[in-house]
Structures are given as C-alpha cells and as structure tokens.
Amino acid sequence: MRRILALTVCFTMLCGTPALATVDGGCTGQSCDDTSVATADTALAPHHYLIGGKPVALSDAEAQRQQRCLGLVAFGEARSEGRDGMLAIVFVVMNRLRAIADGDLPPPPVAKDRKILPCDVVAQKGAFESLRHARFHRALLSIRRGRAPLLRKHDDPTERQSLELADTLAHDVMTGKLTDDVTRGATHFYCPAEQRQLRRRKPEWTETMVATAYIGKQVFYRQEGG
C-alpha cells in the first residue's frame, strides 16, 4: 500500500460554516448532533488515555501536553468550522496514529523505544498547513516544552472560546467520552475551495483513497480497505 503523508488543508477564510454529511448520505444538516458524535463511558484505568484507539498510560503533565497539541491543531485548521470541524481534526490525528501503528503511514522521528503520541503527529513537517504560520508554530513549540501556548491569551473572545472548545473536544476524545469518529476513519483531508482559489490541482493522493465525509467545505479521506 502506498504510504502517503502529503496533506492539503483549508484556510479558515475559505471553509465556510459547519455542516456534516457522510459520503453515503447517512447524515446531513447543520451539525448532525443526533448521530455524528456519540458519548460513551469507556472504562480506562487511572492515568490512561485513548491514543489511536488504544489505552496509553500518561502522566498528568504529558496528558495535558498531548491534549493541547490536539486542541491547537484543531483550532488552527478548523476554528471556522465549529464543533464538528474541530472534532474531525482531532480524529484525523488519532487515525494517523492508528495507521502508523499498523504500518500504513510512515512514523514521525521520535526517540528510540518511545511511544508515538499526538504531538509527534501534529509536529510532522508539512502535515498541517496552519502550523506553518508563525503564531501556531510558536504555540506548538511552547506546548512541547511544557508551557501553555500563547494563544490562550488571545484578546479576541470568540477566538479564545473556540480554542477552549477545541481543548475540550481533545480531552473528551482522549478520555473516551467521544468515541464516534465523525470522519469515519479519515487520515487525510483538504478543502476544494482553497485548491481552486490557489489554482492548485486536486491532490494526487485523492485518486488512491476513499472519500468518507464532507464536513463544512472540507473533504475527508482514508486509504482503501482502511
């Protein structure tokens, strides 16, 4: 199976308001809240978190760091997409972790014998376009060094509220409170509107992958047979 890491994502100004529809038409509408996200009382041992679908033991400090990485990328990529859009980005990161564990995607560089965690996937070079912007890149570095990102001091109350929501969604996925993947296993996504605006062609990897969901103006994909 081809190993694909390339990812093109949408800028917030082009990606519209939140809406969710699965490819087979099973869910449409403004948010699909009744069916798109399920809550569950997943039994996890103390200090264990669901990472790529598997329980992983993390210290409180490490768990907070991973949560903030997830929240940051969700906010950076989909803050204009609302709850469903940001939740989808969290699941994309988790699905990539699962695909890396299965050998379907190349792993990011980490120290020998160390588990690959969300921050490692988020920080992969070129993986998420929003993190190329200086303020998001600085925030990610701050998180990985164990500090709170500067974005938490954002003067815009709407932006601050979106970041808090992204953090909450990241926490709820990691703790098993949200288990229904709104992307249906997607590891890649892109925004057709942005592609047209930038006069880019449709990403080549879409030809070898399966579209799984439309959330806002983003299209989500997974590998065939995934």
Side-chain angles (χ1 to χ4, degrees):
M1 185 178 295
R2 288 185 62 185
R3 293 187 172 186
I4 307 167
L5 183 60
L7 175 67
T8 306
V9 295
C10 69
F11 296 125
T12 57
M13 64 181 293
L14 293 173
C15 286
T17 56
L20 184 148
T22 57
V23 170
D24 60 11
C27 179
T28 59
Q30 187 66 15
S31 66
C32 299
D33 286 337
D34 291 338
T35 59
S36 65
V37 179
T39 58
D41 295 325
T42 301
L44 290 170
H47 302 291
H48 280 68
Y49 300 85
L50 282 179
I51 305 296
K54 297 180 180 179
V56 175
L58 299 174
S59 67
D60 291 342
E62 189 60 62
Q64 186 178 64
R65 179 163 36 247
Q66 301 307 318
Q67 177 184 318
R68 285 178 173 172
C69 283
L70 284 168
L72 176 68
V73 73
F75 173 80
E77 298 291 346
R79 60 190 178 279
S80 70
E81 298 290 315
R83 180 178 184 273
D84 287 333
M86 291 194 292
L87 181 61
I89 304 304
V90 174
F91 274 112
V92 164
V93 176
M94 291 301 191
N95 291 336
R96 287 188 176 195
L97 283 161
R98 191 194 304 266
I100 289 168
D102 291 342
D104 294 329
L105 286 176
V110 297
K112 186 178 180 180
D113 298 328
R114 186 175 74 74
K115 291 183 179 295
I116 299 172
L117 296 172
C119 284
D120 302 312
V121 172
V122 170
Q124 278 184 286
K125 185 177 180 179
F128 294 97
E129 192 161 337
S130 68
L131 297 183
R132 296 179 182 178
H133 295 272
R135 71 167 181 151
F136 292 113
H137 183 67
R138 287 195 301 267
L140 180 61
L141 288 177
S142 180
I143 292 169
R144 301 197 80 189
R145 291 168 181 167
R147 299 192 294 268
L150 297 177
L151 294 178
R152 291 180 175 276
K153 300 178 181 179
H154 205 292
D155 292 334
D156 186 329
T158 301
E159 294 269 278
R160 195 163 56 245
Q161 185 177 20
S162 293
L163 181 59
E164 290 173 358
L165 175 58
D167 276 342
T168 298
L169 293 172
H171 173 270
D172 288 351
V173 171
M174 286 180 58
T175 56
K177 293 181 179 179
L178 292 177
T179 58
D180 191 355
D181 179 0
V182 296
T183 75
R184 303 176 74 188
T187 56
H188 291 66
F189 65 103
Y190 85 107
C191 180
E194 182 207 352
Q195 293 292 97
R196 291 191 294 270
Q197 180 74 16
L198 298 177
R199 297 184 179 181
R200 294 176 178 173
R201 294 182 178 181
K202 187 177 181 180
E204 291 185 3
W205 49 259
T206 61
E207 302 300 324
T208 59
M209 303 185 83
V210 178
T212 61
Y214 303 97
I215 303 176
K217 292 185 179 180
Q218 294 172 335
V219 189
F220 291 78
Y221 290 80
R222 70 167 178 256
Q223 294 176 337
E224 291 192 46

